[in-house]
Amino acid sequence: MNMSLRNATSPAADAGSANAALPGSDMLAASLVAQATVPGGQLDAQALGQEIRQFATLDPAFAAQTCSAVEAHLFDTGRLGDAAALNQGYAQGDTLPPTAAAPYGVAGALGRESTVQALMHRAYEAGLAAPQGEFSGTVFRSVRTEYEQGAFDHTKGGPGRYNAASERLIYTAPSPAAAVAEAAVYAEPGMAPLHDRSLVALDFHARPDAQGRHGVADVAEGLRNAGLPEEALTHPKGRNPPGWLYQLAGEHPYSLGQQAGKGAADAGASAIRAPSATGEPQINIIPRNTHPGQLQAREVVAYTGHHPGSTRAAGHVANMPANDLPVRTGPLEKPAGVRVGVDVRNQAPEALDPKGLNNLRQHATHALEGYPRASSVRYGAAGSAVAAVAQDAWAAVQGAPMDVQQASSHAVQAGALGAAAGKATDLLTPRVGLRAAGGAVAGALEAFTSTASNTDAFRSHQISAAQASANIAVDTATAVGAGVSAAVVGTALGAGASAAVAGATIGSIVPGAGTAVGAVVGFAAGAATYYAVQKTAQISGLMDAAKTRLAGAWTEAEQPLGRALHQAGQALDTGRQALNALKFW
């Protein structure tokens, strides 16, 4: 491309000032656009930006001002898309700082958290709205023989598939076969399901009152009505740790079931009819809504190995004690990264295993605390590192110099920053809400990145203080919007509240892995949404238009804005010096 820029004289060379106005900028801009326009009226604006960029090796200030002049010409003629392509071509070859990748990790963490929270809320609503019916019959409960007298003592129990530690539940089966099948899931390897256990038969009666309470809630039907499959609650965990996908995602297969049970309890149900891990239905009694007179032990059979003993009267089995826990209505509180609280444990804590790999797994998954939900740290780190690698790979494809050591350093720095940002998001969420927290953290990261790059550009006389300040403001505002959008889209995909298609999509994915796959889908959706919002704002020309208009409005404040940017640059220099010293040591 033979452009007039090749023969132009830079203001820096003529006047000794890189801030001097570009002579004949309007004329030069129009000439460059005309020369880059191919027959038929099509402008290859990206190639034009790349051509201008090549001149930056001789005079970066002159090249930057030329690009701004061409951009202004395109804006004045209504060609916003070409302006965006021009800037894209001009920016190719730039190496983005690791900070630029961090918001993608935050967005992924937001998508994960909003999706899982939405799924848990939907499970709670399913239990709350589950239809309640009458039950009158015999149910069976297996307990260790030495504890058969206290077979209904729920105060000794902990969290399970359908109850958190803050809720009591007595698990029973509608038949001896169902009780045996459920016991087999929790039996020691190689042992008979009911070895050294007693099967207690009891009569249970429940009937809904005039308000529709105190019946048996059909949780499976509630799930179907809410668009969740039964399989979302029946991951066959048993006595084992959660599956590898759950551990990798930092989730637990009991999270949804516990919320469904809490919803039924808040609806006043005396018991829930819910699927077990084996697919058999259970009748699980809710002590806080059940009078001890509603259930009566009838007979007991103790087992040794596979062999049942004689059937005995159950007169020695004590009545069910009253509920001993305070009643709190509303969904269970299971925020990311919180490891202490009556709602957060998803199962009983594991005993410490001193062996190497298993010990590492226990600490990595918080098994010793009962598998509470993982924080957003791992998601912020992973998303940021992947984004940094992708950015460096794209820059290398475009011809930018890049080596493995530099790319690795970027990934590590971005991962560390993303981890810190994920933690910050978790800390802010209880105070301001998930969407506001995500927008604030993403905006702060983008503000830092944009401030660093635009301050450097201002101090090297490439752009004015007004333009640098406008760039920072628009970049930050866009990042806030993208961060909030990541949470919104994650919620929509998780809950299906905004679109039936989104709900159907999640519903088709969840059965195999419940909240684990929901977390992965939400993570991908959040990061993709952030990218889409940013790119849409750039390609459409909206960001560039806003920056140009805002810079024009702030022209009269050039001096105070310049002083502020100079102070920011000094602070950045101090930080860079400290970082270099740290690297040296």
Side-chain angles (χ1 to χ4, degrees):
M1 187 181 298
N2 182 20
M3 299 190 304
S4 300
L5 180 63
R6 294 295 185 191
N7 302 316
T9 303
S10 75
D14 278 353
S17 171
N19 261 342
L22 181 67
S25 58
D26 291 340
M27 183 180 302
L28 177 58
S31 175
L32 294 177
V33 170
Q35 292 181 49
T37 301
V38 300
Q42 296 296 318
L43 171 64
D44 189 349
Q46 185 170 350
L48 176 57
Q50 292 172 341
E51 191 77 13
I52 296 174
R53 176 71 184 190
Q54 292 178 11
F55 193 80
T57 57
L58 301 176
D59 193 331
F62 181 62
Q65 291 183 59
T66 301
C67 186
S68 296
V70 175
E71 178 186 19
H73 176 79
L74 294 173
F75 276 126
D76 291 340
T77 55
R79 303 163 76 169
L80 302 184
D82 285 340
L86 173 83
N87 277 281
Q88 185 178 12
Y90 184 80
Q92 283 180 359
D94 285 344
T95 300
L96 294 175
T99 317
Y104 292 94
V106 174
L110 283 171
R112 167 258 186 164
E113 182 64 8
S114 58
T115 297
V116 174
Q117 289 290 351
L119 286 171
M120 289 196 293
H121 183 75
R122 180 188 280 188
Y124 172 82
E125 292 294 332
L128 190 68
Q132 296 187 25
E134 181 179 357
F135 181 89
S136 182
T138 303
V139 292
F140 300 85
R141 174 172 170 79
S142 73
V143 295
R144 291 184 61 86
T145 299
E146 59 186 306
Y147 301 132
E148 67 180 25
Q149 184 175 355
F152 307 143
D153 187 0
H154 51 78
T155 64
K156 302 296 193 298
R161 186 179 298 274
Y162 291 105
N163 73 298
S166 56
E167 290 285 321
R168 301 301 191 194
L169 202 64
I170 299 175
Y171 290 82
T172 73
S175 70
V180 172
E182 183 69 12
V185 179
Y186 296 90
E188 294 283 352
M191 300 297 293
L194 294 182
H195 176 64
D196 285 343
R197 299 183 68 84
S198 295
L199 193 61
V200 182
L202 63 141
D203 294 326
F204 176 63
H205 307 277
R207 176 183 296 178
D209 59 17
Q211 287 75 41
R213 299 168 61 88
H214 299 292
V216 176
D218 190 341
V219 170
E221 183 63 23
L223 289 172
R224 287 189 288 269
N225 293 339
L228 280 174
E230 291 183 39
E231 292 84 354
L233 310 184
T234 57
H235 179 77
K237 193 191 74 65
R239 60 180 286 108
N240 304 309
W244 67 268
L245 181 57
Y246 280 97
Q247 295 187 44
L248 184 65
E251 297 297 337
H252 197 277
Y254 288 176
S255 288
L256 298 184
Q258 290 178 0
Q259 293 286 6
K262 181 63 161 59
D266 286 351
S270 182
I272 60 174
R273 185 191 303 273
S276 69
T278 63
E280 296 278 352
Q282 293 178 323
I283 303 295
N284 302 325
I285 300 166
I286 303 173
R288 70 160 151 126
N289 297 327
T290 301
H291 189 275
Q294 290 179 243
L295 63 159
Q296 182 66 47
R298 193 176 66 188
E299 56 188 29
V300 180
V301 177
Y303 283 73
T304 301
H306 292 282
H307 307 291
S310 59
T311 301
R312 296 175 284 120
H316 63 294
V317 176
N319 291 334
M320 180 190 76
N323 179 56
D324 63 326
L325 294 176
V327 175
R328 295 179 298 115
T329 58
L332 298 171
E333 297 178 3
K334 291 180 175 291
V338 176
R339 296 166 61 181
V340 178
V342 292
D343 289 345
V344 299
R345 285 194 305 168
N346 285 295
Q347 69 177 64
E350 288 186 17
L352 179 63
D353 188 339
K355 297 179 181 178
L357 291 178
N358 203 36
N359 182 276
L360 290 175
R361 177 195 64 79
Q362 287 183 322
H363 284 88
T365 59
H366 308 306
L368 304 181
E369 287 84 31
Y371 291 102
R373 299 187 56 236
S375 71
S376 297
V377 169
R378 68 179 67 180
Y379 296 92
S384 301
V386 169
V389 170
Q391 288 174 344
D392 283 343
W394 178 249
V397 169
Q398 299 301 310
M402 184 66 60
D403 56 42
V404 175
Q405 183 177 1
Q406 184 180 19
S408 300
S409 176
H410 283 176
V412 170
Q413 293 177 55
L417 186 59
K423 185 64 175 178
T425 304
D426 285 346
L427 293 175
L428 280 176
T429 295
R431 296 168 175 80
V432 300
L434 186 63
R435 299 177 187 180
V441 174
L445 289 168
E446 187 63 39
F448 180 82
T449 301
S450 185
T451 299
S453 60
N454 282 284
T455 297
D456 288 344
F458 165 71
R459 296 168 77 195
S460 62
H461 307 295
Q462 296 179 37
I463 58 177
S464 66
Q467 186 64 66
S469 301
N471 293 348
I472 294 168
V474 174
D475 288 342
T476 301
T478 304
V480 171
V484 172
S485 298
V488 171
V489 172
T491 301
L493 286 175
S498 300
V501 173
T505 300
I506 279 290
S508 66
I509 293 173
V510 168
T515 47
V517 171
V520 175
V521 171
F523 174 81
T529 299
Y530 189 91
Y531 178 84
V533 172
Q534 288 276 27
K535 281 302 178 184
T536 299
Q538 292 171 7
I539 294 173
S540 67
L542 294 176
M543 289 182 69
D544 292 321
K547 290 175 180 178
T548 299
R549 299 296 183 263
L550 193 57
W554 287 353
T555 300
E556 295 182 359
E558 180 72 17
Q559 291 300 322
L561 289 174
R563 286 192 294 270
L565 288 172
H566 181 67
Q567 293 174 352
Q570 289 180 323
L572 288 169
D573 289 342
T574 301
R576 287 163 180 160
Q577 291 170 4
L579 182 60
N580 288 335
L582 182 64
K583 288 180 179 178
F584 174 80
W585 287 105

